Amino acid sequence: MRIVFLTHNFPRRPGDVSGVFLTWLGRALLQRGHEVRVIAPADEGWTGSTRYEGMVVRRVRYAKPEDETLAYRGTMADAARTVAGMRTLRRLHRALRAAAREEMAAADVLHAHWWVPGGLAAPPESRYVLTVHGTDAAILNRSALARALARPVIHRAKVVTAVSNAVAEIIRTRTRREVLPHKVKPMPADTSRIGPGQEPGAGLVVLARLTSQKRIHLAIEAAALIRDQGRAVPLLIAGDGPERHNLEQRVAALDMTGHVEFCGAVPPEEVGRLLAPRAVMVFPAEQEGFGLVAAEAFMAGVSVVGCRDGGGVLDIVPGGTGGGGRVVDPTAAAIASAITELLDHPRRHADALELGEEWRRRLDPAVVAAQCEEWYYEALRAT
């Protein structure tokens, strides 16, 4: 089968994390005997190699080099707020659709990732599978215009999939298309780079982009409450983003400078090393699409505290009283209490590892590719 990925995120070079899960999925599909071609935007005039990890890659030009900055940077939503940005978005849409039409002349099925811009650019006459990931689902909650644009895209798709139950529920309520349980499936991860920690770790970790949606201030405030109770537990914050300065100020205001460390963004290959010596991951984000780092934490034997409004991460983090994790109200006090319970739980490490092995199996690229293959055949059979 010849499969075309249509996406606005795909690695530009080795080590690039933009849409890196698509390389893991593509490799696994190649191993199953399929041909995989990728359509993605150029980046500041750069179109790069025509092959990547065995896949044929076509990067489309859509503007002057200095204006080709909509993809790979997480700024597409901001661009839509300006007239100039909207013009560039329309050019990107036209370029992606033209390339998709050309590729589909000799392909069997199109797999569009994110309903915008990928799904929106999918030729209406094509047989396409659409995967909604999270950021694109969040737009449906915020914007009536986005919902109006998304509904025909989602209803035309032969198969619609979601990376979590939370995303599937947004699709159902906002576009009135059901996503059946077997079509709720996260994209793959490179599970081989996260090894189980040999010993229970110590300390807390946050691994996230530093944005307001991640609510990392709650982790800092929870660590301060634990310190005030006479139990100082170090907190490592791995990631970068626009909220870093505000978070550093919050650390100083709480007199937590000696207890909180900011280490900046961490490349994927370093995540396992970073997680191994930690005890608990704090995941206070709201309305996540999925929350891969929580699953990676379990693989390393690290317990996780998530929040009730965490969206897709609720598919990963269990409630109850086991040592693997806790789901609590989004308050510093509730998070602090859950952290303390987990630190004292005798089976914390073992329970986390048990959850991690299940997620290691579910996120294995070969397992996800087999499921995608079923979706592709379903799309080909659809009338």
Side-chain angles (χ1 to χ4, degrees), residues 27 30 39 65 99 101 118 145 147 205-206 209-210 215 218 239 241 258 303 334 338-339 361:
R27 282 201 308 252
L30 291 172
I39 301 169
R101 277 208 168 98
L145 174 60
R147 293 191 288 274
V205 63
V206 169
R209 181 161 165 73
L210 308 188
R215 300 192 301 205
L218 291 176
S303 300
I339 291 170
R361 184 195 67 79

Side-chain angles (χ1 to χ4, degrees), residues 199-376:
E199 300 292 339
L204 313 176
V205 63
V206 169
L207 183 56
R209 181 161 165 73
L210 308 188
T211 65
S212 58
Q213 178 255 338
K214 302 297 184 180
R215 300 192 301 205
I216 296 164
H217 67 281
L218 291 176
I220 296 168
E221 291 162 10
L225 288 174
I226 296 170
R227 185 271 317 270
D228 293 344
Q229 295 164 4
R231 186 173 186 171
V233 183
L235 168 63
L236 176 68
I237 298 175
D240 217 335
E243 283 293 299
R244 177 159 180 169
H245 177 68
N246 291 337
L247 294 170
E248 289 173 335
Q249 287 189 318
R250 187 63 179 144
V251 167
L254 292 170
D255 195 23
M256 287 288 287
T257 303
H259 301 279
V260 179
E261 176 188 353
F262 291 84
C263 71
V266 176
E269 61 272 16
E270 293 294 316
V271 169
R273 178 192 60 78
L274 180 142
L275 289 173
R278 315 297 162 189
V280 178
M281 171 178 282
V282 189
F283 197 108
E286 62 179 330
Q287 298 306 317
E288 280 288 301
F290 177 55
L292 174 62
V293 294
E296 291 177 327
F298 288 144
M299 293 178 207
V302 179
S303 300
V304 182
V305 176
C307 293
R308 298 191 197 284
D309 59 354
V313 76
L314 300 184
D315 286 3
I316 304 171
V317 182
T321 59
R326 295 286 188 279
V327 176
V328 299
D329 291 334
T331 68
I335 293 170
S337 177
I339 291 170
T340 302
E341 287 179 17
L342 288 169
L343 289 173
D344 293 334
H345 198 289
R347 283 190 52 81
R348 173 180 53 75
H349 186 63
D351 287 353
L353 285 176
E354 185 175 335
L355 290 166
E357 287 310 301
E358 172 62 17
W359 279 106
R360 194 184 300 276
R361 184 195 67 79
R362 292 177 64 180
L363 296 172
D364 186 298
V367 171
V368 179
Q371 179 63 76
C372 287
E373 185 180 77
E374 291 183 18
W375 297 336
Y376 301 153

Side-chain angles (χ1 to χ4, degrees), residues 20 25 27 62 64 70 97 111-112 124 128 139 142 155 170 188 199 260 263 281 290 310 328 342 353 359 362:
V20 68
L25 176 58
R27 282 201 308 252
Y62 60 95
K64 297 176 182 177
L70 294 182
R97 175 165 286 188
H111 192 164
Y128 65 90
I139 296 170
R142 295 196 303 264
H155 282 269
I170 292 172
E199 300 292 339
V260 179
C263 71
M281 171 178 282
F290 177 55
V328 299
L342 288 169
L353 285 176
W359 279 106
R362 292 177 64 180

Side-chain angles (χ1 to χ4, degrees), residues 111 129-134 137 159-172 177-188 288-291 311-316 358-359 361-363 367-368 370-372 374-375 378:
H111 192 164
V129 174
L130 173 65
T131 295
V132 181
H133 288 272
V159 175
V160 177
T161 83
V163 299
S164 69
N165 283 295
V167 170
E169 179 62 12
I170 292 172
I171 295 170
R172 185 189 69 80
R177 171 135 187 192
E178 294 287 342
V179 180
L180 298 176
H182 72 283
K183 291 170 183 168
V184 178
K185 181 82 174 178
M187 288 291 102
E288 280 288 301
F290 177 55
V313 76
L314 300 184
D315 286 3
I316 304 171
E358 172 62 17
W359 279 106
R361 184 195 67 79
R362 292 177 64 180
L363 296 172
V367 171
V368 179
Q371 179 63 76
C372 287
E374 291 183 18
W375 297 336
E378 181 180 343

Side-chain angles (χ1 to χ4, degrees), residues 2-6 35-39 55-57 103 107:
R2 179 178 284 190
I3 302 153
V4 176
F5 288 168
L6 181 57
E35 180 181 346
V36 180
R37 303 174 74 88
V38 180
I39 301 169
M55 292 165 274
V56 175
V57 182
E103 292 293 338

